[in-house]
Amino acid sequence: MAKIIVVTSGKGGVGKTTSSAAIGTGLALAGHKTVIVDFDIGLRNLDLIMGCERRVVYDFVNVINGEANLKQTLIKDKRVDNLFILPASQTRDKDALTKEGVERVLNELAQDFDFILCDSPAGIESGAMMALYFADEAVVVTNPEVSSVRDSDRIIGMLSSKSRRAEQGLEGIKEHLLLTRYNPERVQKGEMLSVEDVKEILAIELIGVIPESQAVLNASNSGQPVIMDKDSDAGQAYLDTVQRLLGEKVPLRFLTVEKKGFIKRIFGG
Ligand SMILES: Nc1ncnc2c1ncn2[C@@H]1O[C@H](COP(=O)(O)OP(=O)(O)O)[C@@H](O)[C@H]1O
Ligand SMILES: [Mg+2]
């Protein structure tokens, strides 16, 4: 049976799509058949970050409306075995996702996949609710700043009250905190919240800390998930995160200000 994981946040622009692409790719690299589903109807960012935007023919809404089947619509990644994308539609209205439709598609995917990763839109309206409703686990993407933490707190409330698991009285969604765009220098200066601050406020288990990194921008410009850039700090931090999601104990990295050596001071890095 597939595990459904929602990547959510409340706030926009915190790194949900970046994280969905990286974590989905990481799970597939670890040998698990994985599909990343873009719930962000109208924006369609995931296929850009995955570098498959030119291969989109049909989309999630087409499948829900019965205009195409999953086989026609899923895009198989060309680099990584076991990895598929279900793209969002660009033009339709945001209410095109119905609970019954989403459930039908997820059930069909669940027969074939180990992991279904749901990339949520921002906000707490219907699109975001739809992305989290059927989840077994949630990755709550949060930036170390007050507004992001506040929105994550609201989403954590939604996870425990507005999900199928909550409505059916099942064991709650397993929640993981993923702190992204972490900049130790700015934390040291007191301009950003620290890992400990955020952990204390949100009080859910920390699954990873992703540093603020130029590698993320490079990756999205080249349509290659940052986790495939194995030499980069952000890529390594996502690799660690995926291992933790799979139950391994991996120490946190990239939490402190790196003292730059002579070579790095001159050549950057
Ligand atoms: N760790 C990071 N370091 C630097 N930039 C990042 C990082 N994570 C995300 N970004 C940037 O932040 C912006 C929003 O990311 P995105 O994943 O689209 O967020 P969301 O899906 O939550 O709206 C993008 O420009 C992305 O490149
Ligand atoms: Mg997004």
Side-chain angles (χ1 to χ4, degrees):
M1 192 59 189
K3 202 174 259 179
I4 304 179
I5 304 179
V6 61
V7 179
T8 186
S9 72
K11 195 170 191 287
V14 293
K16 288 180 295 297
T17 302
T18 303
S19 299
S20 300
I23 292 170
T25 304
L27 289 168
L29 285 170
H32 304 282
K33 193 167 180 188
T34 301
V35 57
I36 315 174
V37 182
D38 191 347
F39 275 79
D40 206 347
I41 305 300
L43 276 182
R44 240 188 75 180
N45 269 334
L46 180 67
D47 49 278
L48 283 172
I49 290 188
M50 294 299 298
C52 62
E53 70 278 8
R54 287 198 212 97
R55 297 170 62 208
V56 175
V57 181
Y58 296 113
D59 59 61
F60 196 6
V61 174
N62 291 136
V63 180
I64 285 181
N65 292 344
E67 294 151 358
N69 62 34
L70 272 177
K71 205 167 166 226
Q72 296 168 298
T73 309
L74 287 174
I75 301 176
K76 185 179 174 359
D77 192 89
K78 286 194 168 155
R79 301 152 295 205
V80 181
D81 278 344
N82 297 318
L83 180 60
F84 292 78
I85 312 300
L86 181 56
S89 85
Q90 206 155 31
T91 50
R92 313 238 183 178
D93 76 296
K94 289 185 193 293
D95 296 323
L97 299 181
T98 60
K99 217 180 238 179
E100 296 69 32
V102 171
E103 181 170 29
R104 189 163 41 76
V105 174
L106 291 181
N107 281 344
E108 200 178 330
L109 289 171
Q111 291 172 15
D112 205 27
F113 285 91
D114 302 320
F115 286 99
I116 302 172
L117 220 60
C118 304
D119 180 18
S120 176
I124 51 166
E125 285 90 45
S126 81
M129 289 303 113
M130 215 58 90
L132 70 77
Y133 184 75
F134 296 98
D136 301 307
E137 299 193 17
V139 173
V140 181
V141 180
T142 308
N143 293 162
E145 46 178 62
V146 172
S147 65
S148 173
V149 172
R150 193 172 44 215
D151 286 0
S152 289
D153 194 43
R154 292 174 77 191
I155 272 293
I156 291 169
M158 298 291 174
L159 289 168
S160 55
S161 63
K162 299 270 189 262
S163 64
R164 175 169 63 174
R165 285 179 166 274
E167 283 180 8
Q168 297 183 347
L170 300 170
E171 193 186 332
I173 293 177
K174 194 169 170 189
E175 299 158 334
H176 312 278
L177 169 64
L178 181 64
L179 206 51
T180 59
R181 311 201 68 164
Y182 197 72
N183 185 334
E185 226 155 84
R186 296 192 58 193
V187 172
Q188 205 175 52
K189 286 189 203 150
E191 296 168 1
M192 279 187 157
L193 300 172
S194 69
V195 176
E196 291 310 317
D197 293 337
V198 181
K199 266 174 71 179
E200 201 177 305
I201 302 169
L202 294 180
I204 61 174
E205 171 244 359
L206 182 68
I207 194 84
V209 179
I210 313 297
E212 172 80 22
S213 170
Q214 176 68 31
V216 172
L217 200 68
N218 299 345
S220 74
N221 284 339
S222 59
Q224 170 152 303
V226 69
I227 198 167
M228 296 184 74
D229 183 356
K230 293 198 171 73
D231 295 328
S232 69
D233 48 0
Q236 290 173 16
Y238 275 117
L239 280 170
D240 291 353
T241 300
V242 169
Q243 283 190 287
R244 292 188 201 102
L245 258 184
L246 293 170
E248 284 167 54
K249 279 210 163 17
V250 184
L252 291 166
R253 294 193 269 173
F254 314 111
L255 299 191
T256 48
V257 179
E258 188 192 351
K259 286 211 175 60
K260 288 199 173 175
F262 176 70
I263 303 280
K264 279 201 172 167
R265 269 206 312 267
I266 292 189
F267 295 107

